[in-house]
């Protein structure tokens, strides 16, 4: 196939367009005025048109033939058209080559446009950035900016590098990254990512990642790689074409020579012509081109909606999913915890908060952050020798006292007695013990995301089973599950417990998509048929771990990913069935002498163009 060059125009195809013009003039003379130039003038004219239209195809066929690769569409078209010339069907030979080359041109243009649309969607990194150095602002290449330098972003300008907001507040349009156009207001210290657009005043951002390490650069690289990771359907068609083409060559030879033993008189030219028709219509280019184009379209449609597929193979996987297993915190709930109540047992409340905050300051867990945030200026103590006990909580020393802060299982592990009513609390609870003595508890509540219920309803409408896994208490998990209408919910799970549950569903024959943060849930993400990372822009490891990245925190995008997978597969199989049915019909008609080379080429190019238009349709769909 010809590779389209950047900035390609109609004029760059002047040889092909000239060949088409010559063909039209010669056919007009032959059929309109019942006249054609005498031999060998007509042969020379048609040969000129043939070479102008087919020099790329003939050159490719020759290069492949030198490596003993004869079973490809280029060699197939070359044999068919040269054969047509050999029996005097000059106009038909030129027509086959002209229309085949036009079909290739449109195919190349469509594939190139699909690739460009995906790249343009994400390759939005600015070429220059304003950096503050020695009290002055300077415009420099983003690649030269170092970590911790301060950059200025003017109103309407794109952020060039990942960092933290240095100004007090600023509003950003994150549509290029998340597919969401509503403004996102950031406060000092919050993450700002390359590709976001500053909406109001001049803002300052402290750079926290080099240009090459920005989320946008990683995502761009991932989407470009995605077009190279082939789906099972693409791999099948590639294998199919390698077997199909030599079989077609063999059948064409049989069609040409076998009638010698069964017909009398045997007309070689007649059967040779039928064999040529057979070769032309059998060209698998409609399948070979329209199928990857369909998957490019699916990846592009997903990207525009803030969903990144790491390969077209995962578009296929999402069509086979029957169970969606979700983490609770950060997936279905906002993961923004707020302290609700502080209850002590013969212990000063202010002291309890200070001690708990000192310990929790050593954790990045949302619950720990809530405790530290609640403590505010009171968090002036420092913890030492802090260790995390997976699935339980933290242990450390504060002012010489041994402090435990975590869930009730932590106190049980260290044989610390506590009131039984603590186990019956529905909200998330941080139980605190000082020097092996129960001191009190802090209740913390999380908020369900706005679109979580709608997402679960849409999953049910798509006949998907919904399951929620959480390390939180079963009472909390049941409360969230009931509010959302989730089919099954399991709480009190350690990381290995989540793995066991997912494995159990797999062993039961379920096809699973697991949705989590892609970092803490890495083993489960790896185990699932499709690992989906929620809010992938917030975590470096997510992009590496997950198969699919949802760039914002909306659970409703999960069903969107399933729908895009199904749409893509449906269009791809429409193309496969259309191409195969038309080819079989015309092959039979050609073998029977009913279809000529004209019908063969029109059917072949027509099917290819219909398949391309059908595939391109995916990119324009609105969900």
């Amino acid at each position: 196939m010809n590779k389209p060059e950047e900035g390609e125009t109609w004029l760059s195809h002047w040889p092909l367009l000239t060949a088409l013009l010559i063909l039209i003039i010669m056919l007009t003379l032959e059929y309109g005025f019942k006249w054609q130039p005498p031999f060998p003038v007509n042969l020379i004219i048609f040969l000129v048109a043939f070479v102008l239209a087919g020099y790329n195809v003939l050159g490719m066929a020759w290069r492949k033939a030198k490596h003993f690769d004869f079973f490809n569409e280029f060699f197939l078209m070359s044999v068919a058209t040269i054969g047509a010339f050999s029996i005097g069907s000059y106009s038909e030979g030129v027509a086959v080559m002209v229309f085949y080359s036009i079909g290739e041109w449109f195919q190349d243009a469509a594939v190139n446009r699909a690739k460009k649309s995906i790249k343009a969607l994400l390759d939005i990194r600015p070429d220059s950035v304003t950096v503050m150095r020695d009290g002055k602002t300077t415009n420099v290449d983003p690649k030269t900016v170092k970590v911790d330098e301060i950059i200025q972003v003017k109103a309407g300008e794109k952020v060039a590098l990942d960092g933290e907001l240095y100004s007090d507040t600023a509003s950003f349009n994150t549509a290029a990254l998340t597919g969401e156009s509503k403004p996102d207001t950031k406060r000092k210290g919050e993450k700002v990512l390359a590709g976001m657009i500053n909406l109001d005043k001049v803002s300052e951002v402290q750079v926290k990642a080099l240009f090459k390490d920005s989320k946008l650069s990683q995502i761009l690289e991932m989407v470009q790689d995605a077009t190279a990771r082939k789906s099972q359907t693409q791999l099948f068609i590639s294998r199919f074409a390698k077997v199909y083409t030599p079989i077609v060559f063999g059948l064409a030879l049989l069609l040409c020579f076998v009638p010698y033993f069964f017909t009398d008189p045997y007309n070689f030219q007649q059967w040779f012509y039928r064999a040529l028709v057979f070769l032309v219509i059998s060209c698998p280019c409609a399948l070979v081109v329209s199928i990857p184009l369909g998957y490019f379209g699916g990846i592009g449609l997903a990207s525009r909606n803030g969903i990144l597929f790491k390969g077209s193979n995962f578009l296929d996987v999402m069509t086979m999913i029957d169970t969606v297993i979700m983490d609770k915190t950060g997936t279905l709930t906002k993961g923004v915890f707020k302290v609700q109540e502080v209850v002590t047992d013969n212990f000063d409340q202010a002291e309890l908060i200070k001690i708990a905050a000192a310990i929790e300051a050593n954790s990045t867990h949302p619950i720990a952050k809530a405790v530290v945030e609640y403590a505010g200026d009171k968090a002036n103590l420092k913890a030492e020798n802090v260790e995390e006990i997976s699935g339980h909580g933290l242990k450390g020393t504060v002012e010489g006292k041994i402090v435990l802060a975590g869930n009730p299982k932590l106190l049980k592990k260290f044989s610390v007695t506590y009131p039984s009513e603590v186990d019956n609390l529905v909200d998330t609870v941080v139980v605190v013990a000082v020097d092996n003595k129960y001191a009190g508890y802090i209740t913390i509540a999380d908020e369900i995301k706005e679109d979580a219920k709608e997402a679960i309803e849409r999953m049910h409408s798509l006949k998907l089973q919904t399951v929620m896994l959480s390390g939180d208490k079963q009472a909390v998990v049941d409360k969230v599950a009931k509010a959302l209408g989730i089919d099954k919910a399991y709480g009190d799970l350690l990381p290995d417990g989540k793995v066991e549950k997912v494995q159990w569903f797999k062993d039961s024959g379920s096809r699973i998509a697991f949705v989590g943060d892609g970092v803490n849930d890495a083993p489960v993400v790896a185990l699932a048929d499709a690992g989906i990372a929620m809010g992938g822009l917030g975590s470096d490891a997510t992009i590496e771990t997950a198969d699919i990245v949802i760039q914002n925190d909306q659970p409703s995008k999960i069903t969107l990913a399933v729908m895009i997978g199904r749409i893509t597969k449906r269009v791809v199989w429409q193309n496969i069935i259309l191409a195969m049915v038309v080819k079989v019909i015309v092959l039979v008609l050609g073998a029977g002498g009913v279809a000529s080379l004209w019908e063969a080429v029109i059917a072949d190019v027509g099917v290819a163009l219909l398949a391309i238009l059908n595939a391109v349709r995916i990119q324009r769909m609105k969900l």
Side-chain angles (χ1 to χ4, degrees):
M1 194 184 299
N2 310 329
K3 295 290 177 193
E5 301 294 325
E6 290 293 331
E8 190 179 70
T9 64
W10 283 78
L11 290 176
S12 60
H13 291 276
W14 69 265
L16 176 57
L17 295 172
T18 303
L20 177 61
L21 181 62
I22 292 171
L23 178 64
I24 291 169
I25 291 169
M26 294 298 285
L27 291 175
T28 303
L29 290 173
E30 183 178 349
Y31 294 102
F33 296 94
K34 306 297 180 189
W35 178 86
Q36 57 180 321
F39 183 85
V41 176
N42 63 339
L43 172 60
I44 293 168
I45 293 171
F46 278 119
L47 269 176
V48 169
F50 179 70
V51 172
L52 286 172
Y55 68 92
N56 273 324
V57 175
L58 295 167
M60 186 65 77
W62 173 247
R63 285 194 291 276
K64 286 182 175 287
K66 285 196 294 186
H67 294 95
F68 302 100
D69 177 7
F70 300 108
F71 302 121
N72 56 74
E73 65 262 37
F74 305 107
F75 194 77
L76 187 148
M77 279 296 137
S78 299
V79 168
T81 49
I82 292 169
F85 266 81
S86 71
I87 58 172
S89 299
Y90 308 141
S91 62
E92 288 170 291
V94 171
V96 168
M97 190 58 81
V98 164
F99 289 118
Y100 175 75
S101 297
I102 288 173
E104 287 287 285
W105 174 12
F106 286 142
Q107 288 165 9
D108 286 337
V111 171
N112 199 41
R113 196 177 300 114
K115 285 182 177 177
K116 272 200 219 167
S117 72
I118 290 171
K119 188 173 179 184
L121 194 66
L122 292 167
D123 198 7
I124 51 176
R125 297 166 295 189
D127 297 324
S128 67
V129 62
T130 305
V131 64
M132 298 180 71
R133 289 174 179 165
D134 302 323
K136 297 178 183 176
T137 57
T138 316
N139 273 344
V140 298
D141 188 321
K143 292 174 186 169
T144 65
V145 178
K146 295 174 183 160
V147 173
D148 287 333
E149 284 196 291
I150 307 293
I151 61 171
Q152 265 191 3
V153 187
K154 298 180 182 70
E157 197 172 59
K158 288 171 188 165
V159 179
L161 300 129
D162 291 357
E164 291 176 358
L165 188 63
Y166 201 68
S167 304
D168 291 332
T169 60
S171 289
F172 296 91
N173 181 336
T174 64
L177 296 169
T178 64
E180 294 298 313
S181 57
K182 69 177 183 180
D184 186 1
T185 301
K186 302 284 185 185
R187 289 174 177 78
K188 187 168 185 173
E190 290 188 340
K191 281 189 178 180
V192 177
L193 301 173
M196 292 180 175
I197 300 171
N198 187 13
L199 290 176
D200 42 27
K201 54 187 181 296
V202 175
S203 302
E204 293 178 355
V205 174
Q206 187 171 30
V207 175
K208 292 297 178 185
L210 297 174
F211 182 79
K212 65 181 176 65
D213 298 325
S214 71
K215 298 288 191 308
L216 189 61
S217 295
Q218 292 173 327
I219 291 165
L220 174 59
E221 186 180 336
M222 185 182 84
V223 174
Q224 287 173 318
D225 290 345
T227 60
R229 293 179 69 170
K230 294 187 176 181
S231 68
Q232 289 300 313
T233 311
Q234 285 173 277
L235 294 171
F236 164 73
I237 291 299
S238 297
R239 291 194 298 267
F240 171 79
K242 286 179 181 175
V243 175
Y244 167 83
T245 311
I247 289 173
V248 163
F249 266 105
L251 289 174
L253 286 171
L254 291 174
L255 183 61
C256 183
F257 296 111
V258 167
Y260 173 81
F261 302 102
F262 299 100
T263 58
D264 188 28
Y266 170 71
N267 185 329
F268 171 77
Q269 185 167 319
Q270 175 192 344
W271 289 102
F272 182 57
Y273 182 84
R274 292 187 186 183
L276 295 179
V277 172
F278 196 86
L279 283 180
V280 169
I281 192 56
S282 65
C283 180
C285 55
L287 293 173
V288 173
V289 175
S290 68
I291 290 166
L293 186 58
Y295 283 104
F296 290 157
I299 290 170
L301 178 63
S303 298
R304 271 204 307 283
N305 284 277
I307 304 165
L308 298 176
F309 281 84
K310 276 195 177 178
S312 51
N313 50 323
F314 296 116
L315 283 163
D316 276 352
V317 170
M318 289 306 288
T319 66
M320 297 181 278
I321 294 302
D322 56 37
T323 302
V324 179
I325 301 179
M326 293 156 283
D327 186 30
K328 180 178 76 70
T329 306
T331 300
L332 294 169
T333 63
K334 292 181 178 179
V336 179
F337 291 86
K338 299 285 181 187
V339 171
Q340 306 295 312
E341 188 181 15
V342 180
V343 178
T344 59
D345 184 16
N346 298 319
F347 205 93
D348 182 67
Q349 191 178 83
E351 188 68 17
L352 179 78
I353 293 166
K354 286 163 72 175
I355 289 171
I359 286 285
E360 297 289 7
N362 294 275
S363 172
T364 57
H365 195 282
I367 292 173
K369 288 180 179 177
V371 174
V372 174
E373 187 181 321
Y374 182 76
D377 296 337
K378 297 174 189 173
N380 53 9
L381 300 180
K382 214 161 191 185
E384 297 173 341
N385 306 319
V386 178
E387 60 175 300
E388 183 173 351
I389 298 160
S390 183
H392 292 74
L394 300 167
K395 178 187 178 187
T397 306
V398 180
E399 294 188 320
K401 298 170 186 173
I402 297 172
V403 178
L404 300 172
N407 57 38
K409 285 186 287 185
L410 179 67
L411 269 60
K412 287 176 184 173
K413 183 179 178 71
F414 287 91
S415 303
V416 177
T417 57
Y418 60 89
S420 58
E421 61 262 24
V422 173
D423 287 326
N424 300 323
L425 293 169
V426 174
D427 285 336
T428 300
V429 62
V430 175
V431 188
V432 182
V434 179
D435 285 336
N436 262 28
K437 188 178 177 184
Y438 170 72
Y441 66 81
I442 302 168
T443 60
I444 293 162
D446 191 6
E447 196 178 342
I448 293 172
K449 290 180 181 175
E450 287 85 356
D451 69 330
K453 188 168 179 61
E454 177 199 346
I456 300 300
E457 288 171 354
R458 287 174 68 182
M459 287 178 209
H460 288 153
S461 71
L462 293 172
K463 305 278 191 287
L464 297 171
Q465 180 184 206
T466 55
V467 180
M468 184 169 68
L469 304 181
S470 178
D472 224 333
K473 287 190 305 182
Q474 188 65 50
V476 175
V477 172
D478 287 340
K479 182 181 175 183
V480 174
K482 187 177 179 183
L484 296 178
I486 291 170
D487 299 322
K488 295 176 181 175
Y490 303 91
D492 298 311
L493 294 174
L494 297 176
D496 58 344
K498 289 184 181 181
V499 172
E500 284 174 18
K501 283 292 178 190
V502 172
Q503 188 62 59
W504 182 84
F505 277 100
K506 284 199 78 170
D507 293 342
S508 303
S510 299
R511 300 301 297 268
I512 294 163
F514 180 84
V515 191
D517 64 12
V519 184
N520 301 330
D521 299 313
V524 199
V525 167
L527 185 61
D529 297 289
I532 303 176
M534 182 67 75
L537 291 175
S539 167
D540 288 322
T542 303
I543 291 172
E544 297 167 19
T545 310
D547 306 316
I548 301 159
V549 178
I550 291 174
Q551 295 185 67
N552 58 23
D553 289 330
Q554 292 185 321
S556 54
K557 299 279 184 175
I558 301 166
T559 50
L560 216 56
V562 174
M563 288 165 64
I564 289 168
R566 291 182 181 182
I567 288 167
T568 304
K569 191 166 188 177
R570 184 168 67 243
V571 168
V572 164
W573 278 100
Q574 283 171 357
N575 285 348
I576 291 172
I577 292 166
L578 171 71
M580 294 310 297
V581 168
V582 172
K583 282 185 184 299
V584 168
I585 292 170
V586 183
L587 281 172
V588 171
L589 294 175
V594 178
S596 69
L597 274 175
W598 280 105
E599 281 88 3
V601 73
I602 290 168
D604 181 54
V605 174
V607 167
L609 291 178
L610 282 174
I612 289 166
L613 290 172
N614 197 29
V616 167
R617 189 167 57 91
I618 297 175
Q619 297 173 58
R620 304 181 187 281
M621 286 183 178
K622 290 186 179 178
L623 299 172

